[in-house]
Amino acid sequence: MNNNKELIEGILELKRQKHAVILAHYYQIPEIQDLADFIGDSLALSQRAKNIESPLIAFCGVHFMAETAKILNPDKKVIVPDLNAGCSLADSCPLDRFEEFLGEYPQHTVITYINSTARIKALSDIICTSGNAVQIVESLPKDEKIIFAPDKNLGGYINQITGREMVLWDGVCQVHDLLTAEAVLKLKMQNSDALLVAHPECNRAVLEIADYIGSTNGMIKFVGQHKGKKFIVASETGIVHQMKKIAPENEFLVAPANETCSCNDCPYMKMNTLEKLYKALLTESPEIIVDQDLAEKARKPIDRMLEISKKAGLI
Ligand code: 13P
Ligand code: SF4
């Protein structure tokens, strides 16, 4: 198969034969977003993955997302197009250093961003995503001592809006953290009628000039509520595909990282291709395997996140 049309037909046929479900994150290439059974941000994908009844889940995102799906629905086979599709945030938090860090802050509740490995989740009290971090933090008493890992930009933003002083792990997303306020401001000056929407993984300087800060779902909803407007999007490029579908009359400009580059592609998300997805469905591999004992430990803080999100009306 050498063209997209044939590959898409092949993928849909294999999906039918194997009763598979394709889940995709908004940062996937448009072709994968368009053929997925369900597309969402990290929170929506976790919720969806937990309730899937099909025997085979093809997860088009990055490793921690597929691993979370496997933890939440362990009896299903979870396959991915590329096992090497990781995440710089998850990589920034290796187990040995995290254990040492926890030892430095005894009696702290550990809130961990979903962009982390199962081993890190297993050492955490509650998981959060960018879509529920405020509600998760605010579900704890005001005087509770909290460690937040691994994204210091998201953690700093949550500290600011909740008035907490959580201890932050020093990790960043290599895609969002690279966006500079200088380059964004320059684009804003050239487009004074544009609203700036930003993901909370962006650095503080970018967040300070944003008109709206929110998760991937949050940003898509926001642009959909402002028809006929122009937006500067400080996030990964894949999100613009859904924004254009929801609000085709809007204009979208991708926030630049610097003078020469406005290519905010997550190198990991973009490892997934139609060809790799086709092969994954054909061979039912590579498969995500999580040790049962580890999965049980990691599931508790994820379930706690889902419970709080449900109570808060987020899912
Ligand atoms: P969302 O939780 O908004 O889907 O973000 C996930 C992510 O990896 C952002 O870089
Ligand atoms: Fe990880 Fe950043 Fe890619 Fe999201 S965009 S998957 S946080 S590297």
Side-chain angles (χ1 to χ4, degrees), residues 25 27 41-42 64-65 113 115 129-130 173 176 199 201 215-216 269:
H25 188 268
Y27 296 172
D41 66 0
S42 308
F64 76 81
M65 295 179 177
Y113 194 30
N115 298 41
T129 73
S130 56
C173 157
H176 290 87
H199 194 281
E201 286 173 13
S215 70
T216 308
M269 288 279 184

Side-chain angles (χ1 to χ4, degrees), residues 101-225:
F101 184 71
L102 297 188
E104 286 167 28
Y105 299 97
Q107 264 96 52
H108 280 60
T109 297
V110 183
I111 300 183
T112 302
Y113 194 30
I114 199 162
N115 298 41
S116 54
T117 62
R119 292 200 181 280
I120 298 295
K121 287 187 176 81
L123 294 176
S124 309
D125 296 299
I126 320 179
I127 302 305
C128 75
T129 73
S130 56
N132 60 17
V134 173
Q135 290 82 357
I136 298 286
V137 170
E138 289 193 329
S139 73
L140 299 174
K142 264 264 171 222
D143 57 352
E144 185 121 354
K145 292 179 184 163
I146 303 172
I147 283 176
F148 188 91
D151 187 3
K152 69 171 180 192
N153 288 338
L154 174 64
Y157 169 65
I158 302 297
N159 269 345
Q160 207 185 327
I161 58 174
T162 61
R164 309 273 175 143
E165 288 179 6
M166 300 187 295
V167 179
L168 307 180
W169 177 266
D170 187 12
V172 292
C173 157
Q174 70 180 67
V175 179
H176 290 87
D177 190 58
L178 267 187
L179 305 179
T180 62
E182 292 74 22
V184 174
L185 265 180
K186 203 170 167 194
L187 189 61
K188 238 189 154 196
M189 265 145 63
Q190 290 157 358
N191 298 275
S192 55
D193 52 337
L195 293 171
L196 174 65
V197 292
H199 194 281
E201 286 173 13
C202 292
N203 60 60
R204 192 181 183 133
V206 170
L207 295 181
E208 271 170 5
I209 55 169
D211 297 294
Y212 174 82
I213 300 166
S215 70
T216 308
N217 261 354
M219 282 188 282
I220 292 172
K221 207 168 149 198
F222 183 79
V223 304
Q225 288 163 345

Side-chain angles (χ1 to χ4, degrees), residues 26-28 33 236-242 264-265 270:
Y26 290 119
Y27 296 172
Q28 292 300 286
Q33 292 192 37
E236 213 269 356
T237 51
I239 188 178
V240 175
H241 180 62
Q242 284 306 312
N264 317 340
D265 281 324
K270 297 302 194 281

Side-chain angles (χ1 to χ4, degrees), residues 8 22 66 90 97 137 173 194 216 233 235 241 265 267-268 284 307:
I8 291 167
I22 300 177
R97 279 182 39 220
V137 170
C173 157
T216 308
V233 182
S235 191
H241 180 62
D265 281 324
Y268 308 103
E284 298 189 21
E307 266 166 45

Side-chain angles (χ1 to χ4, degrees), residues 1-15 17-18 22 32 35 58 60 79-81 272-285:
M1 285 190 206
N2 44 22
N3 68 44
N4 280 2
K5 192 167 170 284
E6 281 178 39
L7 277 169
I8 291 167
E9 279 167 10
I11 288 166
L12 295 176
E13 182 50 33
L14 284 170
K15 189 177 82 93
Q17 281 172 18
K18 299 185 179 229
I22 300 177
I32 292 184
L35 62 71
C60 301
I79 54 168
V80 291
N272 297 333
T273 61
L274 286 174
E275 203 150 22
K276 288 182 193 169
L277 175 57
Y278 176 80
K279 279 193 190 142
L281 280 164
L282 187 69
T283 60
E284 298 189 21
S285 69

